[in-house]
């Protein structure tokens, strides 16, 4: 039996309108409520469909774009969806969302399903887009735009921040502040943002003629808990770095929690640098120094590119970067 939005609302103990707000990012939702809705969607493998609001023509439901994205209790991923939704709504499109667990297997499963259902186009936010992804999209002639990585596939444009350059600048800032012992907590091997942010770190260390301790290069999933575990692994080497560059803000906050639990002062003993400029980076104490960019703008740009592909327009750039800058706060010295 097909799971409906009413079923999700019942499982999460919320109203249908609240589920719709979580799906579409149209209004703020309490984080606990949001997580209950997302968990219900995950358990039922629910593929969210945008519910047309008052005044939306019924025939607009034939204009659909699909979005494949990891479970988005992550505020940055949620902002991607908000940006995509703003542009899609402007053009009269509704959104189908495939929530994955971040692995290529579940991503490919959703890609196959959407290819069979034939939406007008698709935006992919996930692990590295590979040959199998390309083959499925090509065989179904499904217009696609990638988010969070740089595409090397002709006809499949991509949008994100310049991960390599931004990471290079962050680590170089730490070097210029006098740090020589710099660790990194980065994404796992199949995360595009993880590999590119690690590349920027290695380039900055090499240009500064500083050695990279491989036991201070720790991979983890994108979460506070995994950031905590990664920092604990670094501390377990018997020596602490003077600074840690983290590939996401959530990892950085987990790392700071771990350090604070061990009585380590931030930034007096260890400086911590994040990446994403997420909402939580400004409310955690000490406030997190981070690479900041507009994730909403990333989503909007990806959706604009997809609209052009759907209409058969030319001139879509192979890759687009949004502006980034270093937001220097309290977690570094």
């Amino acid at each position: 039996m097909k799971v409906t939005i009413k079923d999700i609302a019942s499982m999460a103990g919320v109203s249908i309108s609240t589920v719709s707000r979580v799906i579409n990012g149209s209004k703020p939702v309490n984080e606990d409520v949001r997580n209950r809705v997302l968990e219900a969607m995950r358990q039922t493998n629910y593929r969210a469909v945008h519910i047309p609001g008052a005044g939306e023509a019924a025939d607009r439901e034939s204009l659909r774009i699909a979005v494949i994205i990891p479970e988005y209790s992550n505020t940055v991923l949620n902002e991607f969806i908000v940006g995509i939704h703003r542009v899609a709504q402007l053009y009269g499109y509704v959104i189908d969302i495939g929530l994955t667990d971040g692995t290529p297997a579940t991503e490919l499963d959703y890609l196959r399903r959407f290819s069979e259902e034939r939406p007008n186009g698709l935006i992919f936010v996930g692990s590295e887009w590979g040959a199998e992804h390309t083959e499925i999209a090509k065989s179904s002639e499904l217009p696609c735009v990638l988010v969070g990585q740089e595409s090397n596939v002709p006809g499949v444009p991509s949008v994100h921040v310049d991960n390599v350059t931004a990471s290079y600048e962050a680590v170089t800032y730490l070097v210029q502040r006098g740090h020589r012992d710099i660790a990194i907590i980065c994404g796992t091997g199949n995360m595009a943002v993880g590999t590119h942010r690690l590349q920027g770190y290695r380039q900055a260390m090499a240009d500064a003629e500083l050695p990279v301790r491989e036991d201070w290069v720790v991979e983890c999933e994108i979460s506070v808990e995994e950031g905590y575990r990664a920092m604990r692994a670094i501390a377990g080497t018997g020596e602490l770095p003077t600074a840690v560059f983290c590939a996401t803000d959530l990892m950085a906050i987990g790392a700071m929690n771990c350090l604070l639990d061990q009585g380590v002062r931030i930034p007096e003993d260890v400086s911590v640098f994040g990446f994403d400029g997420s909402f939580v980076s400004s409310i955690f104490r000490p406030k997190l120094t981070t690479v900041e960019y507009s994730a909403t703008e990333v989503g909007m740009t990806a959706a604009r590119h997809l609209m052009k592909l759907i209409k058969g327009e030319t001139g879509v750039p192979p890759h687009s970067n949004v502006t980034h800058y270093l937001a220097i706060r309290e977690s570094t010295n």
Side-chain angles (χ1 to χ4, degrees):
M1 182 180 296
K2 183 177 181 180
V3 178
T4 67
I5 192 172
K6 183 177 180 180
D7 297 326
I8 298 299
S10 178
M11 287 181 63
V14 299
S15 66
I16 292 176
S17 61
T18 297
V19 176
S20 179
R21 288 199 297 272
V22 171
I23 291 170
N24 297 309
S26 55
K27 292 181 181 179
V29 177
N30 176 275
E31 189 66 19
D32 178 63
V33 172
R34 180 186 302 281
N35 288 336
R36 294 209 310 270
V37 172
L38 294 176
E39 178 61 19
M41 293 169 67
R42 187 191 66 78
Q43 289 182 10
T44 58
N45 202 26
Y46 178 71
R47 187 166 60 256
V49 179
H50 167 65
I51 307 301
E56 289 189 83
D59 61 2
R60 283 188 178 180
E61 290 195 31
S62 62
L63 298 176
R64 298 167 47 246
I65 63 172
V67 180
I68 295 177
I69 191 167
E71 296 179 57
Y72 56 114
S73 56
N74 179 332
T75 56
V76 173
L77 299 182
N78 198 37
E79 289 169 17
F80 285 160
I81 292 293
V82 170
I84 293 168
H85 177 257
R86 285 179 183 174
V87 173
Q89 190 175 46
L90 179 66
Y91 283 86
Y93 282 75
V94 296
I95 302 175
D96 293 351
I97 298 177
L99 282 177
T100 76
D101 60 6
T103 63
T106 56
E107 292 167 356
L108 289 167
D109 180 54
Y110 270 115
L111 187 56
R112 293 187 188 97
R113 293 188 197 183
F114 285 135
S115 295
E116 293 171 358
E117 294 172 6
R118 302 304 294 270
N120 299 87
L122 179 140
I123 294 175
F124 177 86
V125 188
S127 66
E128 192 164 359
W129 181 274
E132 194 168 357
H133 296 77
T134 300
E135 183 58 34
I136 295 171
K138 183 178 180 181
S139 63
S140 63
E141 298 182 341
L142 182 66
C144 296
V145 176
L146 312 186
V147 169
Q149 58 186 287
E150 187 166 346
S151 173
N152 57 5
V153 180
V156 181
S158 55
V159 182
H160 202 48
V161 67
D162 187 339
N163 288 303
V164 175
T165 299
S167 300
Y168 181 95
E169 292 172 353
V171 176
T172 298
Y173 171 82
L174 293 172
V175 172
Q176 291 173 343
R177 298 294 295 176
H179 294 282
R180 296 294 179 267
D181 301 321
I182 305 173
I184 181 172
I185 297 174
C186 56
T188 55
N190 65 343
M191 294 181 184
V193 297
T195 56
H196 293 159
R197 293 175 188 181
L198 175 59
Q199 181 183 342
Y201 161 83
R202 289 190 182 278
Q203 286 184 4
M205 294 292 282
D207 288 352
E209 299 182 346
L210 295 175
V212 172
R213 282 188 51 166
E214 294 302 328
D215 57 347
W216 282 357
V217 177
V218 181
E219 295 185 356
C220 71
E221 302 295 333
I222 302 175
S223 71
V224 173
E225 295 78 13
E226 282 288 285
Y228 191 107
R229 179 196 64 77
M231 188 66 242
R232 187 167 56 192
I234 292 171
T237 63
E239 187 177 1
L240 279 177
T242 63
V244 182
F245 172 60
C246 301
T248 71
D249 289 345
L250 293 182
M251 294 172 180
I253 289 172
M256 287 199 289
N257 281 337
C258 179
L259 290 169
L260 293 171
D261 284 350
Q262 296 183 31
V264 178
R265 298 172 301 167
I266 303 170
E268 294 85 355
D269 299 325
V270 178
S271 289
V272 180
F273 209 122
F275 198 119
D276 283 332
S278 62
F279 171 68
V280 292
S281 69
S282 63
I283 63 173
F284 194 83
R285 292 296 184 274
K287 291 184 179 179
L288 178 63
T289 292
T290 184
V291 175
E292 190 155 320
Y293 64 95
S294 172
T296 300
E297 181 61 29
V298 172
M300 292 176 69
T301 302
R304 292 190 194 104
H305 288 351
L306 186 60
M307 293 300 122
K308 290 181 179 180
L309 292 179
I310 290 171
K311 292 188 290 184
E313 295 182 10
T314 59
V316 177
H319 181 73
S320 303
N321 284 321
V322 299
T323 302
H324 71 270
Y325 66 93
L326 306 186
I328 307 303
R329 300 193 180 112
E330 301 167 351
S331 67
T332 55
N333 63 7

